[in-house]
């Protein structure tokens, strides 16, 4: 992805689920026969306004807050859908069990029926 010097970008740290802005401070272009590489230095919103190589950060870069929001909402919806799908499968299993009949099921580490193979 190509960025403009002075552009504000939004960084998502997936490990900590933190979002922070950064300003593109420098673009370095390396041209070779048949290729062109871009690297960027960004200013972080720290007290000392650290400037670091964007490539050294373990982040996903978004060019706008709205694109980052859309990504996060989409991921949240996928997670919720997966949880609801699993709960629906378990509920079908509960509804189909006869009262008093023994049920042999696998359970996950939270004591919830594992429905992966159901």
């Amino acid at each position: 992805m190509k960025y403009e010097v002075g552009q504000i970008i939004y960084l998502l740290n997936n490990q900590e689920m933190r979002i922070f802005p950064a300003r593109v401070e420098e673009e370095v272009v390396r041209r070779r026969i048949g290729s062109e590489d871009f690297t960027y230095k960004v200013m972080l919103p720290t007290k000392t306004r650290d400037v670091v190589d964007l490539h050294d950060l373990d982040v996903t870069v978004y060019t706008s807050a709205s694109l980052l929001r859309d990504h996060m909402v989409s991921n949240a919806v996928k997670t919720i859908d997966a949880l609801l799908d699993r709960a629906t499968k378990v509920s079908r299993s509960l509804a189909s069990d006869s009262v008093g009949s023994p049920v042999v099921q696998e359970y996950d580490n939270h004591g919830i029926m594992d429905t992966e193979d159901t």
Side-chain angles (χ1 to χ4, degrees), residues 90-105 113:
V90 171
S91 73
R92 281 191 226 120
S93 173
L94 290 173
S96 67
D97 291 340
S98 302
V99 175
S101 66
V103 178
V104 178
Q105 293 283 339
M113 280 187 220

Side-chain angles (χ1 to χ4, degrees), residues 6 13 17 24 31 55 67-68 70 83 88 115:
N13 179 322
M17 286 309 295
V24 177
R31 290 189 180 102
H55 184 357
L67 287 174
L68 175 53
D70 291 347
L83 291 170
T88 302
T115 58

Side-chain angles (χ1 to χ4, degrees), residues 12-13 18 21-22 25 29 31 39 41 45 50 52 58 60 63 65-66 71 78 83 87 89 94 101 110 112 115:
L12 173 62
N13 179 322
R18 284 189 54 207
E25 291 292 306
V29 181
R31 290 189 180 102
T39 57
K41 299 264 187 201
D50 297 327
V52 298
D58 185 20
T60 305
T63 55
S66 63
H71 168 77
K78 287 177 189 174
L83 291 170
K89 288 177 182 177
L94 290 173
S101 66
H110 299 290
I112 305 295
T115 58

